Amino acid sequence: MAQTITQKIFARAANRKFVDVGESVWLNVDVLLTHDVCGPPTFDIFKQEFGPDAKVWNPDKVVVLPDHYIFTANEHAHRNIDLLRQFAAEQELPNYYDVGTDRYRGVCHVALAEEGFNLPGTVLFGTDSHTCTSGAFGMFGTGIGNTDAAFILGTGKLWEKVPESMKFTFEGKMPEYLTAKDLILQILGDIGTDGATYRAMEFDGEAVYSLPMDERMTLCNMAIEAGGMNGIIAVDAVTEAFVKARTSKPYEIFHSDPDASYHSMYRYNVEQMEPVVAMPHSPDNRATVRSVAGTEITKSYIGSCTGGKLTDFMLAAKILKGRKVAVTTNIVPATVLVASQLETEMYEGQTLRRIFEEAGCNIALPSCAACLGGPADTVGRSVDNDLVVSTTNRNFPGRMGSKHAGVYLASPLTAAASAVTGKLTDPRDFL
Amino acid sequence: MESIIQGKAYVLGKNIDTDQIIPAEHLVYSLSNPEEVKMYGKYALSGVPPEQAGLPEGNVPFVPEGSYASPYSIIIAGPNFGCGSSREHAPFSLKVAGAKAIIAESYARIFYRNCVDGGFVIPYEASQPLNKLILTGDELSIDMKNNTVTNLTQNVTYQLRPLGSVVDIVQAGGIFEYARNNDLMAKSEA
């Protein structure tokens, strides 16, 4: 029987040859990811259910990356970091990346890739909805709650329903003004925030395979914004080169069978697409940037797991080089590595950091920061009636802080172009 | 487990995401310390814009100012309830505030799983847009045996979709109870 790539990964993890769409199966978990917001309650449930002296099923497979509320004076947030530290010590977890040490990495989904935890063919569960980001590596990654994560900590297993798949094929050569963010916002506008609920979103086509891993991660990251269980891109030479440069662990490559069946198939030609935004207050509220150009904004924000990777900043630098921003513009590198790359990567003879500083941007320390609002002292948090253009992934009411603010989700090119004019601006005006 | 859930309705629109259910700034509180747990009741559904809170009129807070519990125990909503962040704090906060069940047209996957596996609130699916028919404050009675909800205020009964394959986990009270009952808590081959 023909299977999709997601079915094949499920079958491997369930020790089966074939799994059928819609059946619930128990999966053996390769990696469990958690962070400072959901780690402490997960550990509480684990101890309550398995006993105070219980040991996790496999310490090597538990990855703890604090990233949400790091640079804040909030005492409760500090306590959550202490609880992670304590649990990691008790359980002797080798993959704990402590705050305030040189092991600190930053935003978990980006750090997982950097540290070589993303392996083709494997199953990753994480206590964060954007765990689907890792699907860019030809693997299954999805978000879960604390109870499910505690169950995995004790048993190494979890039940999951085999999802139906939707296929999104992007043909053509990527124009320089278009990014992965535009592609996923286009899809969201077409299928809505529940258009892929409980389904796999498979991305395919020459335009997708022309993208670097950073951009493929942006595509998969926002599968959850359509309600998707996972986003997935099959492995090619680009994936393998990235993985092999970071780990020597073995992995298995799967591809969808040519006759696999899909819930639906969508085809796009990227050469006919244009930069888009998601207007307040929903990621599927799509408009072309041209159609809303001139809308006043109060802030620009370039950061997060979906919009704070090196490629995002390279794109922003193309527009910000030699220009000044007209509104408060926050540059928030996802990880310590990305932050260091801002100092070393050049565009037209200047480091990215220098370009952003000369443009008048504020460069923040690596964490999730204001993508999800966060404690009151979080850098970039929206206030009052702010109108923010942001490379992040959600713009539901109150997401970046103030309940009265509005957020326009956009590509780093659009966020940079809009920062320069203080109004929503199509990046083609500057390229 | 009880087979009848009775209480007042609290009506919401579509795409109520988990940031509206419990805004991210409150996620710093402990989910086990009883004093801090109360904060999740206090802030449950506090992120819903006022005009969309407690339909059809709006401007009805789920939890009254200064209180830690809600007078409403059944939430009625449109499609895609619980979309967005995976935070289990969301169904947890609804439970702490006193919600027993939700009747939405559809749910986002992670929220739905969290409700079921954590045993917090029972996520029923409506087969029609009940959030257009039921008013905030109406007295409702859910019959879990027959999968119906009766609006006692308006004297009308609606069919709900059966819980389907998760009914065993709901009846057990969560994934741990279910797994113990079914001998599923052994460790996997690591």
Side-chain angles (χ1 to χ4, degrees):
Chain A
M1 282 281 282
Q3 297 185 92
T4 63
I5 179 171
T6 301
Q7 279 174 280
K8 289 181 183 181
I9 297 170
F10 268 55
R12 173 196 160 273
N15 289 320
R16 299 254 302 265
K17 283 204 166 59
F18 175 82
V19 293
D20 210 353
V21 164
E23 68 171 319
S24 288
V25 294
W26 286 88
L27 301 176
N28 289 316
V29 178
D30 293 295
V31 171
L32 174 70
L33 163 73
T34 192
H35 52 51
D36 52 306
V37 167
C38 294
T42 297
F43 302 152
D44 264 358
I45 298 169
F46 168 72
K47 289 187 175 183
Q48 188 186 311
E49 299 291 342
F50 293 93
D53 301 321
K55 289 287 174 193
V56 303
W57 101 103
N58 185 336
D60 291 331
K61 295 184 173 185
V62 180
V63 181
V64 185
L65 283 156
D67 58 2
H68 275 56
Y69 304 153
I70 307 302
F71 305 106
T72 167
N74 186 295
E75 284 173 28
H76 289 103
H78 291 178
R79 184 191 53 189
N80 278 340
I81 305 292
D82 290 339
L83 291 168
L84 293 185
R85 195 172 285 143
Q86 199 182 320
F87 188 80
E90 274 168 32
Q91 299 281 337
E92 298 178 72
L93 300 181
N95 305 313
Y96 172 53
Y97 295 89
D98 203 0
V99 178
T101 74
D102 60 9
R103 285 185 57 77
Y104 177 69
R105 290 294 182 270
V107 177
C108 60
H109 311 296
V110 180
L112 271 183
E114 291 171 353
E115 296 298 310
F117 288 109
N118 287 344
L119 287 171
T122 58
V123 167
L124 163 75
F125 283 98
T127 61
D128 190 287
S129 60
H130 291 111
T131 304
C132 53
T133 310
S134 296
F137 291 80
M139 58 185 282
F140 176 79
T142 196
I144 49 170
N146 312 331
T147 299
D148 282 346
F151 191 90
I152 293 174
L153 271 184
T155 65
K157 292 184 297 206
L158 193 63
W159 71 268
E160 188 60 88
K161 194 157 88 173
V162 182
E164 245 187 322
S165 292
M166 299 170 80
K167 192 169 189 171
F168 301 88
T169 305
F170 289 93
E171 288 160 343
K173 188 171 174 296
M174 281 292 277
E176 67 163 346
Y177 51 82
L178 211 64
T179 73
K181 179 70 70 174
D182 298 296
L183 307 190
I184 191 68
L185 290 176
Q186 178 74 32
I187 291 175
L188 280 160
D190 288 343
I191 68 173
T193 54
D194 57 358
T197 298
Y198 245 108
R199 299 196 194 105
M201 296 174 73
E202 198 174 310
F203 304 105
D204 196 18
E206 61 174 313
V208 170
Y209 290 107
S210 75
L211 298 172
M213 291 313 294
D214 276 1
E215 286 278 272
R216 297 184 193 187
M217 288 164 72
T218 296
L219 261 183
C220 291
N221 175 281
M222 292 183 67
I224 183 65
E225 267 52 78
M229 181 188 291
N230 64 313
I232 195 159
I233 300 171
V235 171
D236 68 356
V238 174
T239 328
E240 287 210 80
F242 188 104
V243 172
K244 285 191 170 134
R246 286 159 184 83
T247 179
S248 54
K249 287 183 202 149
Y251 55 82
E252 206 173 335
I253 296 175
F254 297 103
H255 286 97
S256 293
D257 292 323
D259 52 344
S261 63
Y262 289 88
H263 167 272
S264 48
M265 310 242 233
Y266 291 77
R267 295 188 94 83
Y268 299 89
N269 185 331
V270 293
E271 291 164 33
Q272 288 156 14
M273 292 173 65
E274 53 180 310
V276 289
V277 292
M279 299 185 291
H281 296 284
S282 183
D284 62 0
N285 195 12
R286 184 190 64 210
T288 62
V289 181
R290 286 251 159 102
S291 71
V292 291
T295 306
E296 303 264 350
I297 54 160
T298 60
K299 276 181 181 153
S300 179
Y301 187 98
I302 305 178
S304 84
C305 52
T306 184
K309 295 171 267 82
L310 177 61
T311 305
D312 299 303
F313 295 117
M314 296 285 279
L315 291 166
K318 278 191 188 181
I319 287 178
L320 291 174
K321 171 114 193 323
R323 298 194 172 96
K324 297 278 181 205
V325 297
V327 292
T328 302
T329 299
N330 287 296
I331 300 283
V332 191
T335 62
V336 172
L337 179 64
V338 175
S340 73
Q341 287 166 330
L342 296 186
E343 321 253 357
T344 54
E345 294 293 322
M346 315 277 281
Y347 177 69
E348 289 183 350
Q350 269 192 334
T351 67
L352 301 184
R353 188 177 182 95
R354 183 79 185 276
I355 291 169
F356 297 145
E357 280 172 353
E358 288 191 359
C361 303
N362 171 38
I363 303 176
L365 294 167
S367 80
C368 298
C371 172
L372 74 165
D377 58 352
T378 303
V379 64
R381 199 174 193 278
S382 68
V383 293
D384 304 329
N385 299 314
D386 261 342
L387 285 173
V388 188
V389 60
S390 177
T391 65
T392 55
N393 40 35
R394 289 197 179 120
N395 62 347
F396 297 116
R399 169 70 178 181
M400 293 188 78
S402 167
K403 229 195 288 195
H404 308 289
V407 176
Y408 292 87
L409 303 178
S411 79
L413 290 172
T414 302
S418 306
V420 170
T421 61
K423 302 176 174 95
L424 289 180
T425 301
D426 190 301
R428 285 172 287 187
D429 293 358
F430 290 112
L431 289 170
Chain B
M1 111 181 271
E2 295 170 43
S3 59
I4 298 284
I5 300 171
Q6 189 168 334
K8 283 196 189 328
Y10 187 76
V11 183
L12 292 164
K14 64 178 182 179
N15 295 333
I16 300 295
D17 80 301
T18 53
D19 274 276
Q20 294 181 68
I21 299 173
I22 182 77
E25 65 195 288
H26 306 307
L27 303 180
V28 294
Y29 299 116
S30 163
L31 281 77
S32 50
N33 172 316
E35 273 309 300
E36 290 185 37
V37 162
K38 285 162 66 181
M39 303 304 275
Y40 286 102
K42 179 181 170 74
Y43 292 117
L45 286 170
S46 65
V48 178
E51 65 279 9
Q52 291 156 44
L55 299 175
E57 303 208 338
N59 291 300
V60 182
F62 181 59
V63 178
E65 184 73 32
S67 174
Y68 295 89
S70 173
Y72 308 98
S73 54
I74 300 173
I75 293 165
I76 307 292
N80 206 23
F81 191 84
C83 58
S85 149
S86 66
R87 63 190 69 157
E88 192 164 301
H89 310 64
F92 181 84
S93 74
L94 296 177
K95 181 190 179 177
V96 172
K100 299 275 187 279
I102 306 167
I103 305 174
E105 272 174 79
S106 65
Y107 294 88
R109 165 185 160 271
I110 306 175
F111 180 86
Y112 185 80
R113 276 191 79 106
N114 288 345
C115 286
V116 170
D117 282 0
F120 299 111
V121 282
I122 302 175
Y124 275 105
E125 283 184 349
S127 40
Q128 55 183 309
L130 291 184
N131 66 335
K132 306 278 196 298
L133 302 170
I134 294 171
L135 314 179
T136 293
D138 282 358
E139 189 73 17
L140 306 181
S141 175
I142 298 173
D143 179 340
M144 294 185 64
K145 278 207 186 91
N146 295 307
N147 295 313
T148 59
V149 59
T150 298
N151 187 334
L152 302 170
T153 306
Q154 300 183 25
N155 197 21
V156 52
T157 296
Y158 307 102
Q159 198 65 38
L160 301 172
R161 292 188 201 281
L163 288 168
S165 59
V166 301
V167 71
D168 295 339
I169 305 178
V170 169
Q171 277 170 354
I175 189 175
F176 286 102
E177 292 73 8
Y178 172 79
R180 281 196 195 93
N181 297 346
N182 291 277
D183 225 9
L184 291 166
M185 278 197 23
K187 289 193 187 193
S188 73
E189 313 262 323

